[in-house]
Amino acid sequence: MASPQTLATAEHLPKRGCDTTPGPPRQLPRQRAGTTPQMRGRYPDYDVLAAAAHWDAKTRRAVFERVACVPPIRFFDEQQERTLRVFCDVVMGQDSEPRIPVLEMVDTKLHAGRLDGFRHHDMPPDPQTWRQVAANLDRSARERGCTGGFADAGSEIQHEIVEGFSKGRLDWDLPVDKAWGVVMRGVLSAFYSHPWAWNEIGFGGPAYPRGYARLGAGQREHWESPPSFEVDPVGDVRERGLE
Amino acid sequence: MRERLRVALKGSSRPRGNDSAFLLDPRSRAVPGRESMRRYRPDDAVDMLIVGAGAGGATLAQRLARSGWRVLVLEAGPFWDPDEDWVSDEAGSHHLYWTEERVIGGKDPVELGKNNSGRGVGGSMIHYAGFTPRFHPSDFDVRSRDGVAADWPIGYEDLKPHYERLERELPVAGELWPWGDPHGYPHAPHPVAGGALRAMAGARKLGIEMRVGPVGITNGSFGNRPHCIYRGFCLQGCKVGAKASPLVTHIPDALAHGVEVRADCMVTRVQSDESGRCTGVTYFHDGQERFQAAQAVTVAGYSIETPRLLLHSAGGRFPGGLGNQAGLLGRSIMVQGAPQVAGRFPEEMRMYKAPPPEISSEQFYETDPARGFLRGFSIQTVGPLPIGWAEHVLADGHWGQALREYMRDYNHWYAIGVLSELLPRAENRVTLAQETDRHGMPVARLDYTQCENDRANIAYAKRTLREILEAAGAQDILTIDRYAHLVGGCPMSHTPQTGVVDSDHKVWGVPNLFVCDGSVMPTQSAANPALTIMALASRLAQRLDDKRIDPGRGRGLLREDAAA
Ligand SMILES: Cc1cc2nc3c(=O)[nH]c(=O)nc-3n(C[C@H](O)[C@H](O)[C@H](O)COP(=O)(O)OP(=O)(O)OC[C@H]3O[C@@H](n4cnc5c(N)ncnc54)[C@H](O)[C@@H]3O)c2cc1C
Ligand code: SF4
């Protein structure tokens, strides 16, 4: 995928023709500081949690709780859990440990009855939508010959179903495009609220009370980290015997 | 001369008639005076009861209290203590939004929740971005000029002195403003980040001028409000106190002048008697229903909750709801088309730094027949944080590994957006849905469908954004379609047949009921609404205090009458 040259020309980006087939992105270095999902990322020496001493106490508690407390599944039943766990992995490209516990975070929100503030008139309430999506994913898998449901389908079929879901092209018992919006809203806000994801993308994280002083293009605060590709990731990984 | 002196002093001058910034505690963000706040008994008919402590409600309360009115504000949400209640975190700020159920429909449904109204003392301005432009003079007579939408019963000149006063109270920082009615700002423009400089350069190549501001964010200290620290979390509530919201700009002064702000009180009905006057409101606090008497009531609950409450207050002489004799209550709700386009640059832009509102252009604001549609749009910046950025990437059609790749590239992107003025249409409306909330009150349903002019405006605006980013050297582009800024639903009008309130915000047919929030706007404009909502409130307070509004027969609305 990315190399020092492509990073300047942006050729590693999907719309610029890079390979986005399932599987781990090649040539991304392993994370050295802190944790990222799947331990790869563009900022191998950056750990946002290392700056936690500079955050206000309330924010620190909220963020650390996300890392430390992974609650059990309480809202979904066993079959829904099996199906949706795989679904969350596929839509977020989480193919190995460590994983951000997306499903647990979604489940917690639904269990607590926290709502997003709106519902399409032709849609069930969000919690019900999630359950129906699980059942429909299984049904779509069975229609493609996988009797065990979505979780047991091969990766190709899973991707085909998710692609159809994302384009609103499946024949389900609820408006498919709107259901995609509901579940992805939940998935994305879980994943990108997690500090491991911030490490992966090099986000500065909470910034109160310290703030930022260096706002210019290409400028960094002293605690922010350069992207990895100022180091050659392939050589770096080989050199350090990580693969 | 006075003006020159003021500019020389920049933000250090104290605004007239509002000490809020000076009453704040420099060591803590909690609003002082809450414990010692005045309290009214339930049967004590206050001079003015205001529903909602947001942009409109809080400003009106502060102004009236300054002139000696006995004012009580009932607010559905909490009385925020920014130190304790807010975090510097996207997902952790969910409680700032109105997240109770609402139903949406129509051909172009408007998603609510976090991209919409707020709940709590300070209203939606707690999590608004902070852009504070004025409307243009042309906004007030769109029908006369272009033959569409509506004319306001008031004009720009009616609001101008209030704009000027509020710009000093917030205070607003920005460059000299060349568009609409040209004007300057009390605080100097903020420094802008790398991405905004690139976008400005790209725009300049196309002959589009962008300027820094205008934002309601201190640049330099202002009373006990500190300087902005450029941390970029404006949409999560400003823990610093640099960004203007009624919580820091009007509530402290209101409390100091005898206003009671009763938080966690959800009003479910405005009560009226056989004569057609309102007598007070019913509300829920701690799960219990209560009544509060009042001489006059102002509803300032945002463009969804205000029509919902007035519709739900039907009964007696008002079978269709208060102010609904012409059948227009809840109609002509407007949003702005607010697509965002992001460009990828070779250098790191780190768009999470600096306040999301940085630069803007109003060059496309007015009608230009050559563009093929009526009215226009403004261009602004948005600065999405990671969750917002993920939604942007998803909307462009990416998931799985492709989404992760774009996300890992976050620091190389910069996003700009537009606010397209969409036209009012009667079928875009708030109604009461079948289901009820936890108080047994029917929830609001919002139906929304665009017209051809709207689609043409948004498409043109999106093309312009893309051209700016391409001219700036963007290597890749991602687009998201969205809406912003909901107003209307109780339009101001010349006659009772054409709207819900008159030019003094008085509900047609109810002598002592007012509406004072974004819902009174007959047209949307291409500007962000908060400053104009505050200016309308400021003007209403002046009209009431100058006794230029006839309180109707029976019990008096005016202070002297109440005391008698
Ligand atoms: C993400 C986002 C960004 C924005 N950015 C900008 C911007 O940059 N510039 C700008 O000008 N505008 C912006 N806005 C819009 C702006 O915040 C609102 O238009 C404005 O605050 C609306 O003012 P209002 O007085 O109508 O209502 P609000 O400020 O929403 O106040 C209404 C208050 O009434 C309370 N309430 C409602 N119903 C009841 C009831 N029944 N009983 C008791 N209390 C009730 C609510 O809890 C709320 O506190 C933004 C909005 C959002 C969501
Ligand atoms: S960027 Fe400035 S105004 Fe925005 S939240 Fe931070 S300190 Fe407040």
Side-chain angles (χ1 to χ4, degrees):
Chain A
M1 232 169 231
S3 73
Q5 299 88 308
T6 63
L7 203 73
T9 58
E11 260 141 39
H12 60 295
L13 292 178
K15 282 216 281 196
R16 303 288 302 247
C18 105
D19 173 19
T20 58
T21 48
R26 292 180 297 277
Q27 301 184 1
L28 272 181
R30 280 191 73 76
Q31 192 70 11
R32 292 183 286 251
T35 309
T36 63
Q38 293 74 60
M39 280 319 259
R40 296 178 292 259
R42 283 262 289 274
Y43 302 84
D45 295 314
Y46 175 63
D47 182 11
V48 68
L49 295 176
H54 299 279
W55 306 345
D56 67 280
K58 294 281 160 189
T59 304
R60 195 161 51 232
R61 187 169 324 139
V63 173
F64 274 88
E65 239 170 52
R66 260 172 232 156
V67 184
C69 313
V70 182
I73 298 287
R74 288 162 294 184
F75 175 78
F76 296 117
D77 68 24
E78 250 172 65
Q79 178 59 27
Q80 289 161 351
E81 177 187 345
R82 233 167 72 80
T83 302
L84 292 171
R85 191 174 293 288
V86 175
F87 169 76
C88 289
D89 281 353
V90 173
V91 289
M92 286 318 300
Q94 293 211 88
D95 46 27
S96 62
E97 293 298 329
R99 285 179 168 87
I100 290 178
V102 173
L103 190 66
E104 279 78 1
M105 295 166 85
V106 169
D107 182 275
T108 302
K109 183 175 165 197
L110 296 174
H111 178 74
R114 284 204 300 275
L115 297 175
D116 280 348
F118 66 95
R119 172 176 74 71
H120 288 273
H121 74 99
D122 51 356
M123 287 286 289
D126 290 1
Q128 177 61 22
T129 299
W130 272 94
R131 292 193 201 277
Q132 265 175 262
V133 164
N136 280 296
L137 285 169
D138 284 340
R139 198 161 59 87
S140 290
R142 272 186 234 108
E143 281 164 11
R144 286 165 177 77
C146 313
T147 45
F150 183 80
D152 293 331
S155 129
E156 228 165 87
I157 290 184
Q158 287 168 349
H159 277 80
E160 181 192 317
I161 294 172
V162 173
E163 177 66 12
F165 187 11
S166 77
K167 298 274 179 338
R169 281 200 302 248
L170 300 173
D171 185 20
W172 285 2
D173 59 2
L174 78 175
V176 179
D177 51 340
K178 289 170 186 162
W180 174 253
V182 170
V183 297
M184 288 311 286
R185 202 165 62 231
V187 166
L188 293 180
S189 62
F191 193 90
Y192 287 105
S193 70
H194 201 287
W196 295 355
W198 302 344
N199 285 343
E200 183 188 19
I201 68 176
F203 170 53
Y208 177 77
R210 180 156 62 171
Y212 295 115
R214 298 174 58 77
L215 310 177
Q219 293 188 347
R220 286 179 210 112
E221 315 296 324
H222 66 83
W223 72 91
E224 288 173 328
S225 194
S228 65
F229 301 109
E230 287 166 17
V231 208
D232 169 12
V234 186
D236 181 64
V237 166
R238 200 174 298 136
E239 235 166 66
R240 299 180 328 113
L242 292 172
E243 272 181 6
Chain B
M1 180 60 207
R2 246 185 76 212
E3 180 65 11
R4 234 188 288 149
L5 197 67
R6 194 174 59 71
V7 171
L9 291 169
K10 283 284 185 258
S12 54
S13 67
R14 202 178 177 112
R16 174 172 57 90
N18 182 350
D19 293 334
S20 288
F22 302 83
L23 291 166
L24 288 167
D25 183 343
R27 287 165 304 277
S28 136
R29 253 53 54 193
V31 174
R34 229 181 112 184
E35 276 67 45
S36 54
M37 171 171 77
R38 169 145 196 202
R39 317 260 172 187
Y40 292 100
R41 289 191 326 273
D43 58 350
D44 188 351
V46 291
D47 296 339
M48 184 62 86
L49 185 156
I50 300 174
V51 181
T59 309
L60 180 67
Q62 184 266 342
R63 294 287 199 265
L64 289 179
R66 273 269 173 170
S67 336
W69 289 53
R70 297 159 62 247
V71 180
L72 166 64
V73 185
L74 294 179
E75 165 55 51
F79 203 132
W80 300 117
D81 173 353
D83 289 333
E84 293 296 314
D85 302 335
W86 300 348
V87 286
S88 188
D89 179 71
E90 244 182 320
S93 302
H94 221 69
H95 58 304
L96 301 184
Y97 319 132
W98 191 285
T99 52
E100 290 190 37
E101 182 141 314
R102 286 164 172 171
V103 180
I104 59 173
K107 290 206 184 64
D108 305 287
V110 176
E111 298 203 342
L112 302 172
K114 74 172 176 179
N115 188 33
N116 212 266
S117 57
R119 194 170 161 279
V121 175
S124 307
M125 283 181 77
I126 295 298
H127 73 284
Y128 85 144
F131 272 119
T132 46
R134 298 182 188 179
F135 280 18
H136 287 197
S138 68
D139 282 315
F140 299 84
D141 51 3
V142 175
R143 177 158 276 288
S144 303
R145 284 166 190 266
D146 290 322
V148 293
D151 286 348
W152 293 47
I154 60 172
Y156 176 82
E157 292 303 320
D158 293 307
L159 291 186
K160 183 172 177 169
H162 301 281
Y163 278 139
E164 288 171 345
R165 188 171 166 195
L166 279 155
E167 281 163 358
R168 285 195 283 276
E169 292 174 78
L170 293 186
V172 181
E175 285 187 270
L176 193 71
W177 213 244
W179 297 288
D181 174 26
H183 56 277
Y185 287 111
H187 274 208
H190 285 273
V192 295
L197 290 175
R198 286 298 283 272
M200 274 174 122
R204 206 172 302 122
K205 279 193 199 158
L206 303 175
I208 300 171
E209 190 182 359
M210 300 204 67
R211 296 230 167 167
V212 182
V215 293
I217 300 176
T218 53
N219 187 6
S221 61
F222 175 66
N224 291 329
R225 277 172 58 200
H227 196 299
C228 168
I229 60 169
Y230 304 107
R231 67 187 191 116
F233 280 88
C234 307
L235 274 72
Q236 286 67 36
C238 182
K239 270 179 92 77
V240 176
K243 187 188 76 172
S245 82
L247 189 68
V248 292
T249 60
H250 290 83
I251 293 291
D253 194 70
L255 297 190
H257 288 84
V259 172
E260 175 182 355
V261 178
R262 209 176 285 168
D264 304 302
C265 294
M266 173 70 187
V267 177
T268 52
R269 264 184 90 79
V270 177
Q271 301 289 359
S272 53
D273 62 18
E274 326 73 61
S275 75
R277 295 180 64 84
C278 58
T279 53
V281 304
T282 307
Y283 68 97
F284 277 85
H285 179 72
D286 279 342
Q288 273 191 339
E289 196 176 42
R290 298 158 196 236
F291 176 77
Q292 174 67 47
Q295 304 275 333
V297 174
T298 297
V299 182
Y302 192 80
S303 284
I304 299 181
E305 292 309 312
T306 292
R308 176 189 179 207
L309 178 60
L310 294 178
L311 285 166
H312 189 242
S313 302
R317 290 179 45 152
F318 307 103
L322 299 175
N324 202 18
Q325 288 85 321
L328 297 176
L329 176 58
R331 291 191 182 268
S332 301
I333 294 275
M334 291 160 279
V335 286
Q336 285 165 332
Q340 296 174 0
V341 180
R344 202 272 177 188
F345 296 94
E347 322 84 307
E348 288 170 64
M349 294 303 182
R350 300 198 181 239
M351 61 178 159
Y352 54 82
K353 296 187 187 184
E358 293 194 89
I359 54 173
S360 51
S361 173
E362 293 174 2
Q363 191 165 322
F364 297 87
Y365 195 104
E366 307 283 341
T367 298
D368 174 356
R371 294 200 294 255
F373 58 89
L374 298 169
R375 301 305 290 163
F377 55 90
S378 50
I379 304 173
Q380 301 187 335
T381 54
V382 285
L385 296 179
I387 296 172
W389 176 237
E391 287 167 353
H392 191 129
V393 173
L394 180 81
D396 201 84
H398 310 280
W399 55 273
Q401 294 296 348
L403 175 107
R404 289 279 291 281
E405 189 65 59
Y406 273 120
M407 291 304 298
R408 278 192 291 267
D409 213 43
Y410 176 53
N411 284 340
H412 286 266
W413 289 77
Y414 190 73
I416 54 179
V418 295
L419 299 177
S420 284
E421 173 170 359
L422 307 187
L423 302 177
R425 307 178 68 232
E427 53 273 51
N428 292 336
R429 62 189 295 208
V430 167
T431 49
L432 298 181
Q434 297 293 329
E435 55 261 70
T436 52
D437 68 7
R438 60 201 155 98
H439 307 303
M441 182 178 178
V443 307
R445 170 173 170 150
L446 170 65
D447 283 283
Y448 192 80
T449 303
Q450 293 174 16
C451 65
E452 276 318 306
N453 195 78
D454 299 343
R455 289 182 215 285
N457 185 332
I458 293 172
Y460 188 101
K462 263 201 292 202
R463 261 196 322 275
T464 308
L465 290 179
R466 181 177 254 280
E467 284 163 13
I468 291 175
L469 290 171
E470 280 166 359
Q475 301 158 296
D476 191 357
I477 299 252
L478 295 176
T479 304
I480 181 172
D481 276 303
R482 47 189 287 291
Y483 293 114
H485 304 150
L486 202 135
V487 301
C490 304
M492 240 186 202
S493 61
H494 284 289
T495 66
Q497 291 77 36
T498 50
V500 175
V501 302
D502 69 13
S503 62
D504 285 324
H505 299 244
K506 193 159 74 167
V507 173
W508 290 112
V510 191
N512 59 344
L513 176 62
F514 299 81
V515 175
C516 183
D517 60 10
S519 52
V520 304
M521 293 187 178
T523 61
Q524 165 97 65
S525 91
N528 320 57
L531 181 76
T532 299
I533 295 171
M534 291 179 128
L536 284 165
S538 176
R539 172 182 172 270
L540 171 59
Q542 189 174 48
R543 303 272 308 167
L544 284 167
D545 198 52
D546 291 351
K547 306 191 184 66
R548 273 187 277 184
I549 302 179
D550 173 15
R553 52 193 181 75
R555 264 181 304 164
L557 165 62
L558 302 176
R559 199 159 29 95
E560 291 86 320
D561 301 338

